[in-house]
């Protein structure tokens, strides 16, 4: 087990010393970000019902079915304990308040620890998700952060999201242990799984277009998505996330990236980078990003930088196959 009791005790001591607790997560929220955020909020309320606990951040339209955020004002941060979940680096914290007014007290995360922005942190990269990590925090808390049906639903959804419904290689025996514990509670696990897989008809049509536009070279698949194309297919940038793992089904593809055009920003494209073997988070770090070895995000600021990122991915695939001894032609 990666988690230790001392970490849990320090966390609970800090929670007990605060009357107001505000929980943040990363921008462009995914199920693990919201699941771990709202799951932790529920656990704290279960153990300390008189405390004021707020979930801060922008509303995720595509995940409103999972849960919604609270209204948080600048005044709420006075003497508040601020916790950030599932967020590797400070610039990715989602807040509607000027971050200059906020002191980040605690970080709970499963991403590689590249930015130690909080006073105290619980970071374990062996966890499949921050939701998995928080489920173990609850179990180690000696009923001080007791689990219930609501928290279990949030945390199970977060685990489903970050493991691709237990299909990604981030899934470990401890992941199944956490899921087996959570599923004992009363919530509709089938509904959560169905919602993770559900797409609209517009998204399905866009998937077909995505495959047609995809380029595959030297074991790397890549595609650009423009604002005009998203408008043509009547999908939002958030909905375009549903394409992120489509190239994983293609034989001969070892790493892939989707470039999503940005408007009204100095960023030319946001990059969703994935892999089935080559380590790509170092590449993301070269381009204003970061993340997991097999799943990262980045930003590029020109078409030239876009081409550079693809070239780096090709080199990573070549290095991976040479080391692996794979004889596949690329």
């Amino acid at each position: 087990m990666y988690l230790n009791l001392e970490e849990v005790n320090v966390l609970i001591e800090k929670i007990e010393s605060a009357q107001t607790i505000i929980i943040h997560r990363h921008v462009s929220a995914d199920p693990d970000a919201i699941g771990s955020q709202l799951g932790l909020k529920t656990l704290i309320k279960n153990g300390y019902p008189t405390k004021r606990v707020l979930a801060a951040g922008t509303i995720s339209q595509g995940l409103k079915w999972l849960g919604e955020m609270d209204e948080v004002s600048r005044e709420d941060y006075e003497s508040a304990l601020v916790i950030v979940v599932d967020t590797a680096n400070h610039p990715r914290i989602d807040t509607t308040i000027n971050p200059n007014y906020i002191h980040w007290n605690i970080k709970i995360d499963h991403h590689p620890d590249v930015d130690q922005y909080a006073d105290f942190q619980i970071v374990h990269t062996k966890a499949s998700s921050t939701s998995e990590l928080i489920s173990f925090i609850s179990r180690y808390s000696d009923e001080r952060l007791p689990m219930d049906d609501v928290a279990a639903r949030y945390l199970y959804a977060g685990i489903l999201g970050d493991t691709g419904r237990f299909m990604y290689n981030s899934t470990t025996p401890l992941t199944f242990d956490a899921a087996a514990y959570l599923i004992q509670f009363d919530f509709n696990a089938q509904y959560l799984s169905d919602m993770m897989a559900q797409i609209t008809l517009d998204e399905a049509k866009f998937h077909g277009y995505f495959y047609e536009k995809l380029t595959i070279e030297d074991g790397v698949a890549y595609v650009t998505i423009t604002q005009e194309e998203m408008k043509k297919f009547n999908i939002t940038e958030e909905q375009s996330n549903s394409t992120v793992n489509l190239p994983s089904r293609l034989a001969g593809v070892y790493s892939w990236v989707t470039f999503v055009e940005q408007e009204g920003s100095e960023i030319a494209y946001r990059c969703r980078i994935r892999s089935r073997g080559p380590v790509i988070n170092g590449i993301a770090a070269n381009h204003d990003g970061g993340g997991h070895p097999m799943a990262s995000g980045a930003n590029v600021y020109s078409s030239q930088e876009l081409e550079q990122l693809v070239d780096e991915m090709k080199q990573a695939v070549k290095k991976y196959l040479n080391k692996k001894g794979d004889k596949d032609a690329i």
Side-chain angles (χ1 to χ4, degrees):
M1 164 54 66
Y2 45 76
L3 187 65
N4 67 68
L5 185 58
E6 181 180 354
E7 292 176 312
V8 177
N9 286 335
V10 172
L11 172 65
I12 291 175
E13 287 172 5
K14 292 181 180 295
I15 289 171
E16 288 177 343
S17 67
Q19 185 54 39
T20 298
I21 299 157
I22 304 174
I23 307 173
H24 287 258
R25 38 83 181 160
H26 62 73
V27 296
S28 304
D30 56 17
D32 186 36
I34 292 179
S36 59
Q37 181 186 31
L38 296 181
L40 180 60
K41 173 186 173 180
T42 306
L43 294 173
I44 295 173
K45 290 294 292 184
N46 289 346
Y48 306 93
T50 62
K51 293 188 183 295
R52 186 166 180 246
V53 188
L54 303 172
T58 54
I59 300 297
S60 172
Q61 295 301 318
L63 290 172
K64 289 182 71 172
W65 59 269
L66 180 56
E68 297 191 18
M69 300 294 103
D70 298 307
E71 291 188 11
V72 184
S73 69
R74 177 180 167 183
E75 290 70 30
D76 291 323
Y77 289 88
E78 297 177 6
S79 303
L81 177 74
V82 182
I83 303 174
V84 184
V85 298
D86 198 42
T87 309
N89 53 328
H90 178 265
R92 282 184 55 76
I93 300 173
D94 189 353
T95 177
T96 57
I97 305 297
N98 186 328
N100 293 329
Y101 298 126
I102 304 174
H103 184 79
W104 313 107
N105 300 111
I106 299 173
K107 172 184 178 182
I108 304 175
D109 194 19
H110 73 123
H111 296 94
D113 190 24
V114 296
D115 186 355
Q116 299 181 11
Y117 54 78
D119 299 331
F120 172 70
Q121 58 182 37
I122 301 176
V123 176
H124 292 285
T125 58
K126 291 183 179 180
S128 69
S129 54
T130 304
S131 293
E132 176 189 314
L133 176 54
I134 290 174
S135 74
F136 282 119
I137 288 174
S138 172
R139 291 167 71 178
Y140 271 52
S141 73
D142 193 27
E143 292 300 315
R144 290 172 291 178
L145 297 174
M147 190 67 66
D148 69 354
D149 299 340
V150 176
R153 173 183 178 271
Y154 287 136
L155 296 172
Y156 188 83
I159 293 173
L160 282 183
D162 258 26
T163 62
R165 296 184 296 164
F166 307 110
M167 291 191 296
Y168 301 160
N169 61 9
S170 59
T171 306
T172 71
L174 285 174
T175 307
F176 286 117
D177 184 15
Y181 169 69
L182 295 172
I183 208 168
Q184 297 177 77
F185 292 86
D186 187 14
F187 64 90
N188 191 336
Q190 181 65 54
Y191 171 80
L192 295 178
S193 184
D194 289 346
M195 290 300 290
M196 296 289 175
Q198 190 175 94
I199 60 173
T200 66
L201 180 59
D202 286 333
E203 288 174 280
K205 292 177 179 178
F206 185 70
H207 287 188
Y209 177 76
F210 179 95
Y211 275 127
E212 288 183 358
K213 195 180 182 187
L214 194 68
T215 298
I216 301 175
E217 296 174 346
D218 300 335
V220 174
Y222 60 96
V223 67
T224 60
I225 298 175
T226 67
Q227 292 289 325
E228 183 179 350
E229 288 166 334
M230 287 187 284
K231 291 174 183 175
K232 175 183 176 181
F233 284 89
N234 193 33
I235 65 167
T236 64
E237 182 170 336
E238 185 176 352
Q239 287 177 302
S240 74
N241 278 323
S242 65
T243 65
V244 70
N245 278 309
L246 292 183
S248 68
R249 304 179 63 186
L250 301 175
V253 171
Y254 294 90
S255 190
W256 56 97
V257 56
T258 303
F259 298 99
V260 183
E261 183 185 31
Q262 302 296 296
E263 281 188 346
S265 167
E266 64 177 4
I267 299 169
Y269 295 93
R270 295 201 186 278
C271 318
R272 303 165 186 154
I273 313 172
R274 299 293 185 270
S275 174
R276 68 171 84 216
V279 174
I280 47 81
N281 57 340
I283 296 172
N286 293 339
H287 300 276
D288 190 26
H292 299 288
M294 304 295 145
S296 292
N299 299 302
V300 297
Y301 296 84
S302 66
S303 57
Q304 292 79 13
E305 188 179 1
L306 183 155
E307 294 171 2
Q308 179 186 347
L309 189 150
V310 172
D311 286 339
E312 290 174 29
M313 291 179 66
K314 291 177 182 179
Q315 290 302 312
V317 168
K318 183 178 180 179
K319 180 179 178 180
Y320 167 76
L321 293 179
N322 287 340
K323 183 177 180 180
K324 184 174 178 284
D326 198 306
K327 301 303 181 183
D328 288 351
I330 61 171

